[in-house]
Amino acid sequence: MPATPLPTLLPTLLLVRPQAQAAQQAQRLAAAGIAALPFCVEDTVADDAALSALPQQAAGADWLVFVSPSCIELAWPQLAGLPLAAKLACVGRASADKLAALSGRAVLHPPLGNDSDALLTLPPLQQLAGQTVLIVRGDGGRPQLGETLTRRGAQVRYAEVYRRVPVAADWALFDRLAAGSPPALLITSSHSAEQLFQQAGATRRRALLGCRFIALHPRIAATLQQLGVVQPLLAANEHALCALLTGPR
């Protein structure tokens, strides 16, 4: 799955991610000359009870770890202005940049990689005996981060501030695009990949597999391959995505 430019510049990139994030990314990509449209198959719904409890949870934490942009967008307004002693961490650079801009504070993140594996390699997270780590995530997140930090001595707590809900995608848009020059699809989570193919069903499976797929992470690419996609491409961040679609800039 080499990160080399696509052979031709596809006319439209469909952003398979929550609506708000997709709309923001579409605007950024438009400025780079890339036509992109949100294509939402699932969205995030805030958990009001979890958000209400968040300030008290955060007050007793030594670390706050945010695992996605959705977590930051929902959770930080509940924490802004509070005298938090906790250090901040994110699993990827884009999320860390977002949180740093909102908080005005330093945010620990991996210099390379954008997942829990990369974050767990960082020296400040190796010895955590006696420290409390609050992981801010959606419901049903991957257990690896919390399990590893627990083995390193941390008291791990969770703030599950949103849940994922299926959303009917704009399949009429997809059908119009697929009838001409098939679009590329940016897949930002394995769960979204599975939801995409489930919604497509047998009637659109062939058209879907005729598109080019771009994944943010090897784990997502592996899920796409299990779903039948041949050679999904990888783009770990937006800069890599632009290079993939248009060539290096």
Side-chain angles (χ1 to χ4, degrees):
M1 295 173 284
T4 55
L6 296 178
T8 58
L9 178 59
L10 295 170
T12 304
L13 174 67
L14 297 181
L15 305 172
V16 185
R17 66 187 314 165
Q19 184 67 33
Q21 295 170 28
Q24 294 166 9
Q25 187 172 31
Q27 290 181 341
R28 295 193 301 270
L29 292 172
I34 297 170
L37 293 171
F39 195 71
C40 187
V41 297
E42 62 180 6
D43 214 344
T44 56
V45 175
D47 186 317
D48 292 335
L51 288 170
S52 295
L54 182 61
Q56 183 175 354
Q57 285 184 288
D62 298 289
W63 284 93
L64 297 177
V65 181
F66 296 80
V67 302
S68 73
S70 293
C71 293
I72 297 168
E73 290 167 3
L74 290 170
W76 190 255
Q78 305 296 316
L79 302 174
L82 297 180
L84 294 175
K87 303 179 183 70
L88 306 179
C90 288
V91 299
R93 179 180 293 275
S95 292
D97 289 345
K98 184 181 188 71
L99 183 56
L102 289 171
S103 67
R105 296 176 54 185
V107 180
L108 181 72
H109 65 88
L112 298 174
N114 59 348
D115 59 13
S116 298
D117 294 331
L119 181 65
L120 287 166
T121 66
L122 301 181
L125 299 181
Q126 301 307 304
Q127 301 293 332
L128 295 169
Q131 298 188 49
T132 298
V133 177
L134 180 63
I135 298 176
V136 186
R137 66 179 190 178
D139 64 332
R142 293 178 68 228
Q144 179 203 13
L145 178 60
E147 290 174 352
T148 302
L149 295 177
T150 297
R151 289 196 295 271
R152 294 176 181 177
Q155 295 291 320
V156 175
R157 304 287 184 264
Y158 296 97
E160 297 188 331
V161 297
Y162 68 82
R163 67 184 188 276
R164 300 173 182 86
V165 295
V167 174
D170 187 351
W171 289 104
L173 168 66
F174 175 83
D175 291 341
R176 290 196 302 272
L177 294 172
S181 179
L185 293 98
L186 177 68
I187 311 297
T188 60
S189 76
S190 294
H191 197 268
S192 289
E194 293 164 350
Q195 190 66 229
L196 175 72
F197 275 83
Q198 181 178 331
Q199 284 196 27
T203 57
R204 289 190 175 91
R205 180 176 176 81
R206 182 174 180 180
L208 197 58
L209 291 176
C211 301
R212 299 305 299 267
F213 284 80
I214 304 169
L216 289 184
H217 190 277
R219 185 171 57 251
I220 302 170
T223 298
L224 288 169
Q225 288 178 313
Q226 292 169 4
L227 292 166
V229 176
V230 178
Q231 292 186 328
L233 302 172
L234 282 173
N237 53 50
E238 208 159 283
H239 177 77
L241 176 64
C242 291
L244 190 66
L245 290 166
T246 65
R249 296 191 164 204

